[in-house]
Amino acid sequence: MADQLLEVRNLNKSFDGAQILKGVSLSIARGEVVVVIGPSGCGKSTLLRCINGLESIDSGEILLQGQVISGQTKNLHRIRQRIGMVFQSYDLFPHMNVMDNLLLGPMKALKRPRAEVVREAEAALERVGLLEKRDALPRQLSGGQKQRVAIVRALLMQPEMLLLDEITAALDPEMVREVLGVVLDLARDGMTMLIVTHEMRFAEAVADRILFLEGGSIVEEGAPKDFFRAPKTERARQFLHTFDYEAR
């Protein structure tokens, strides 16, 4: 049996009286890549933010390795260390160069020795093709380079899984390829990931499983080859046609 890392049970979340997530349940095994797709406003980003503790939940449970992490406030920083998150907006400190942005979390939060983290950061930057940018400020980087730095920063916290929230939404097509190539490499290395994206070709290439979210509920899930070639629900078929996918 697969080693279940994350479980979400009957998650409900509302904002200002409007229910955004409606009884969402899912599980993710260690090493699995799950991609969440669906129309704008269906609750995809809210789901990730609830899992990471950035949003409180109204009811339900979120478990990490069988332990309930939802509703935790005292140990929230430890939970965020175990579940890394990369945002669309990069969130790099503009006054700090790339290396200092990378060192801050591991040294401050994890109390790791500087020399050790520098070695890991340099190796990670080289892997994503950015070692020569170690002393650059964020304003000197392209959008794709900033996003690759943000991914490296999350990895240096040594998380057990990564949440990726529309990380290519603000990028032009060439930069999208740069960033998605890094994520594909992570998937091949066995990193557990829950990814929200509108990049359908990427979703098909990277996912072990697709979740289709509509109106705050998971209305369909399955293997990528099944979902993209023969979606079971009419709503999923309509959604995929907007991306020039043909059910076949």
Side-chain angles (χ1 to χ4, degrees):
M1 181 179 292
D3 179 10
Q4 185 168 284
L5 182 60
L6 181 81
E7 185 177 6
V8 177
R9 297 176 179 171
N10 196 31
L11 179 61
N12 293 280
K13 174 66 180 177
S14 298
F15 291 111
D16 299 323
Q19 191 168 3
I20 306 301
L21 297 174
K22 305 174 182 177
V24 172
S25 295
L26 62 93
S27 62
I28 301 176
R30 190 177 296 277
E32 188 179 21
V33 179
V34 176
V35 175
V36 183
I37 65 173
S40 297
C42 70
K44 303 185 298 295
S45 293
T46 299
L47 174 61
L48 265 58
R49 291 175 66 84
C50 287
I51 292 172
N52 192 244
L54 294 170
E55 298 286 354
S56 62
I57 66 174
D58 298 335
S59 61
E61 287 184 322
I62 302 170
L63 297 89
L64 185 64
Q65 286 190 303
Q67 296 185 334
V68 176
I69 61 172
S70 49
Q72 297 277 352
T73 55
K74 183 178 180 181
N75 297 317
L76 189 56
H77 68 288
R78 292 194 180 92
I79 294 168
R80 289 177 179 160
Q81 289 168 15
R82 298 176 68 189
I83 304 178
M85 188 159 179
V86 183
F87 302 87
Q88 175 183 334
S89 55
Y90 326 128
D91 293 333
L92 301 177
F93 290 106
H95 63 289
M96 299 170 64
N97 66 26
V98 166
M99 184 58 71
D100 287 340
N101 264 285
L102 297 179
L103 297 180
L104 184 62
M107 289 178 59
K108 293 293 185 181
L110 302 183
K111 309 299 182 185
R112 297 179 61 199
R114 178 184 176 88
E116 176 183 294
V117 182
V118 167
R119 286 195 299 271
E120 287 189 17
E122 287 176 341
L125 286 173
E126 185 170 24
R127 178 178 178 181
V128 302
L130 291 177
L131 183 57
E132 76 282 1
K133 299 293 186 181
R134 56 170 291 160
D135 297 318
L137 293 171
R139 61 180 170 79
Q140 297 171 310
L141 303 178
S142 69
Q145 289 171 336
K146 291 176 186 175
Q147 197 59 281
R148 281 182 279 164
V149 170
I151 293 171
V152 169
R153 180 181 56 184
L155 291 172
L156 288 175
M157 295 299 290
Q158 301 177 331
E160 295 177 53
M161 71 176 296
L162 280 181
L163 309 177
L164 306 177
D165 188 15
E166 296 284 15
I167 60 171
T168 61
L171 305 180
D172 65 36
E174 185 174 0
M175 294 177 185
V176 167
R177 287 194 294 273
E178 294 175 358
V179 173
L180 297 186
V182 173
V183 178
L184 284 166
D185 283 345
L186 292 174
R188 284 191 284 266
D189 286 349
M191 171 61 71
T192 308
M193 291 184 280
L194 180 60
I195 302 172
V196 166
T197 186
H198 279 110
E199 298 285 341
M200 296 297 105
R201 299 294 181 187
F202 167 66
E204 186 173 16
V206 75
D208 296 306
R209 186 157 43 100
I210 299 289
L211 304 181
F212 179 62
L213 203 64
E214 164 72 13
S217 300
I218 297 172
V219 298
E220 186 168 342
E221 67 176 285
K225 63 181 179 61
D226 298 327
F227 178 81
F228 286 107
R229 286 158 179 74
K232 298 180 179 67
T233 62
E234 179 59 28
R235 184 64 188 94
R237 286 192 287 271
Q238 292 171 354
F239 177 79
L240 291 177
H241 277 307
T242 67
F243 291 91
D244 295 324
Y245 265 88
E246 295 291 337
R248 55 188 183 276

